[in-house]
Amino acid sequence: MADPPDRISSEPDEEIMRATYRALQEYGYADLTIKRIAEEYGKSTAAVHYHYDTKDDLLAAFLDYLLDQFVATIHEVETTDPEQRLELLLDKLLIAPEDHHDMLIAMLEMRSQAPYKEAFADRFQQNDEYIGYLLRTVIDHGIAEDVFTDVDSEHVARALMTIIDGARTRAVVMDETDTLPTARRAADEYVNAVLRTDADDSEET
Amino acid sequence: MADPPDRISSEPDEEIMRATYRALQEYGYADLTIKRIAEEYGKSTAAVHYHYDTKDDLLAAFLDYLLDQFVATIHEVETTDPEQRLELLLDKLLIAPEDHHDMLIAMLEMRSQAPYKEAFADRFQQNDEYIGYLLRTVIDHGIAEDVFTDVDSEHVARALMTIIDGARTRAVVMDETDTLPTARRAADEYVNAVLRTDADDSEET
């Protein structure tokens, strides 16, 4: 047991991650305890601590887990057509499953702790990097195929992520039912405006 | 002292609000205490409690205070020209003073508590209502004066607020320096796209 901890099997982890998901949905971030996660896990707190020293370690691993889950759903997007692919990515980023609201609340609590907890900040930034990379890639691809205007894809990707993060915050704070559809529509309007302008003002070579 | 508490003078309040502002910047929301606010105020905790029963009461009043401050800065926008006025509103909403970062952090922490604290949720929603009203009014005015396309001003206002809230969240969570300028540029691109389309496809009467 002297070596750095290498995960032998991911199966107990996966179960702990699912238990954490349920516990976060039920209790929120502030009232989350290892005891409550252990209860959802169906084992002792010692069994949880065997894998994670602290609650923050566990939650950092949980953020990695969520990113892995997201990456898996992205792999389901099989089309390589840039226009379709961008639409489908925005759908995945802005259409939430029914039971997702409690998780959005817990995520906003964790985001607000990023300035105090480097492990959280690292994960959120890594997640953001990945989504930014996906968006830039599909935009650059569309530019190369001449279906999108030749824009600064870095800026457009970050503008879309600003809309996405705004929607996620508003879904928690505001008493609205159509926050995500409003943001989805705004993202479409933005994409149409900056990527699909027919005016050929980009032939400056 | 049997009547409901009516504020006799707003001056001690104003001083407590400024003390709260400084304490929030220094300690953040999670580590804020009445004691720390009293220290900034330069009086005893009893002097603070004379005005506010609990920390949450004080913070709810603080959110009212911030809205009042914002309303005051809006009154500085004297132009009634819709295009200029919309630009200036977006500037106020998306250009932060130098020392504002700590306050953005504290605000995100309080926003994340909105689902648990009705008094916070009420204030954030009221603030949002007011900003939405300002944006809708200037857009409707521009439509009436034929400088903006005839759009759904309610939707456009909420799309802009999604960009604003996204920028405020990202400024806290992401390790970027140009979050607000990126959002400001995205807001301009969005405004140009939806409000200034020259194509006359709105003559369906």
Side-chain angles (χ1 to χ4, degrees):
Chain A
M1 296 285 272
D3 281 5
D6 226 340
R7 290 181 195 162
I8 297 153
S9 152
S10 71
E11 278 175 28
D13 279 3
E14 170 85 26
E15 275 179 52
I16 296 175
M17 293 297 107
R18 285 197 198 144
T20 305
Y21 195 104
R22 292 192 300 272
L24 265 177
Q25 279 195 309
E26 189 158 358
Y27 303 107
Y29 167 76
D31 291 332
L32 188 74
T33 58
I34 292 282
K35 186 159 178 292
R36 285 177 163 164
I37 293 168
E39 276 164 18
E40 292 288 340
Y41 184 35
K43 300 199 180 174
S44 66
T45 56
V48 177
H49 279 301
Y50 179 80
H51 296 277
Y52 304 100
D53 279 345
T54 67
K55 187 175 83 170
D56 280 356
D57 288 344
L58 192 159
L59 284 172
F62 181 71
L63 292 176
D64 287 336
Y65 169 77
L66 288 184
L67 179 55
D68 287 348
Q69 298 271 90
F70 178 73
V71 171
T73 72
I74 292 305
H75 284 148
E76 292 163 13
V77 178
E78 290 185 339
T79 177
T80 58
D81 174 80
E83 288 180 287
Q84 271 183 36
R85 192 172 165 84
L86 180 56
E87 290 299 307
L88 290 171
L89 284 177
L90 291 171
D91 282 348
K92 296 232 177 256
L93 290 160
L94 280 169
I95 294 174
E98 290 262 322
D99 64 344
H100 201 60
H101 193 252
D102 292 332
M103 192 46 58
L104 282 176
I105 296 174
M107 283 300 113
L108 190 64
E109 290 183 84
M110 291 179 75
R111 278 167 179 250
S112 79
Q113 295 309 301
Y116 309 105
K117 292 181 193 284
E118 206 182 328
F120 289 6
D122 286 349
R123 264 63 177 205
F124 284 121
Q125 285 160 23
Q126 199 181 320
N127 194 323
D128 195 67
E129 269 300 305
Y130 179 73
I131 294 169
Y133 161 81
L134 287 175
L135 292 172
R136 281 197 315 275
T137 305
V138 68
I139 294 165
D140 285 337
H141 181 202
I143 294 169
E145 296 223 330
D146 248 351
V147 293
F148 291 153
T149 314
D150 187 6
V151 292
D152 174 356
S153 60
E154 168 82 29
H155 167 71
V156 173
R158 289 179 57 214
L160 290 172
M161 286 152 81
T162 304
I163 294 173
I164 292 160
D165 285 330
R168 288 172 174 172
T169 297
R170 291 180 66 78
V172 172
V173 183
M174 300 307 153
D175 190 19
E176 303 172 325
T177 51
D178 56 348
T179 302
L180 293 178
T182 295
R184 185 67 190 82
R185 182 174 156 197
D188 255 345
E189 290 163 335
Y190 183 79
V191 162
N192 284 330
V194 299
L195 294 180
R196 296 207 184 106
T197 43
D198 293 317
D200 270 5
D201 53 328
S202 57
E203 340 239 294
E204 320 150 28
T205 320
Chain B
M1 297 285 271
D3 281 6
D6 226 339
R7 289 178 196 164
I8 297 154
S9 152
S10 71
E11 279 175 29
D13 278 2
E14 170 84 26
E15 276 180 52
I16 295 175
M17 293 296 106
R18 285 195 199 144
T20 305
Y21 196 104
R22 293 192 298 273
L24 265 177
Q25 280 194 308
E26 190 158 355
Y27 304 107
Y29 166 77
D31 292 332
L32 188 75
T33 58
I34 292 280
K35 188 160 179 292
R36 285 176 162 164
I37 294 168
E39 277 164 18
E40 292 288 339
Y41 184 35
K43 300 199 179 175
S44 66
T45 55
V48 177
H49 279 300
Y50 178 79
H51 296 278
Y52 303 99
D53 279 344
T54 66
K55 188 175 83 170
D56 281 356
D57 288 344
L58 193 159
L59 284 172
F62 181 72
L63 292 176
D64 287 336
Y65 169 78
L66 289 184
L67 179 55
D68 288 347
Q69 299 271 89
F70 178 74
V71 170
T73 72
I74 291 305
H75 284 151
E76 292 164 11
V77 178
E78 291 184 340
T79 177
T80 58
D81 173 80
E83 288 180 287
Q84 270 183 36
R85 194 173 164 83
L86 181 56
E87 291 299 308
L88 290 171
L89 284 177
L90 291 172
D91 282 348
K92 295 232 178 256
L93 290 160
L94 280 169
I95 295 174
E98 291 261 324
D99 64 344
H100 200 61
H101 193 250
D102 292 331
M103 192 47 59
L104 282 176
I105 295 174
M107 283 300 114
L108 191 64
E109 289 183 85
M110 291 179 74
R111 279 168 178 249
S112 80
Q113 294 309 300
Y116 308 104
K117 291 180 193 284
E118 206 181 327
F120 290 6
D122 286 349
R123 265 62 176 205
F124 284 119
Q125 285 161 24
Q126 200 181 318
N127 194 322
D128 195 69
E129 269 300 304
Y130 180 73
I131 294 169
Y133 161 81
L134 287 175
L135 292 172
R136 280 197 314 275
T137 305
V138 67
I139 293 166
D140 285 337
H141 181 202
I143 294 169
E145 296 221 331
D146 248 351
V147 293
F148 291 153
T149 315
D150 187 7
V151 292
D152 174 355
S153 61
E154 168 81 29
H155 166 72
V156 172
R158 290 179 57 215
L160 290 171
M161 289 152 80
T162 303
I163 293 173
I164 292 160
D165 285 330
R168 288 172 174 172
T169 297
R170 292 179 65 80
V172 172
V173 183
M174 300 307 153
D175 190 21
E176 304 172 324
T177 51
D178 56 348
T179 301
L180 294 178
T182 294
R184 184 69 190 82
R185 181 174 157 197
D188 256 345
E189 290 164 334
Y190 182 78
V191 162
N192 283 331
V194 298
L195 294 180
R196 295 204 185 110
T197 43
D198 293 316
D200 270 7
D201 52 329
S202 56
E203 338 239 297
E204 320 150 27
T205 322

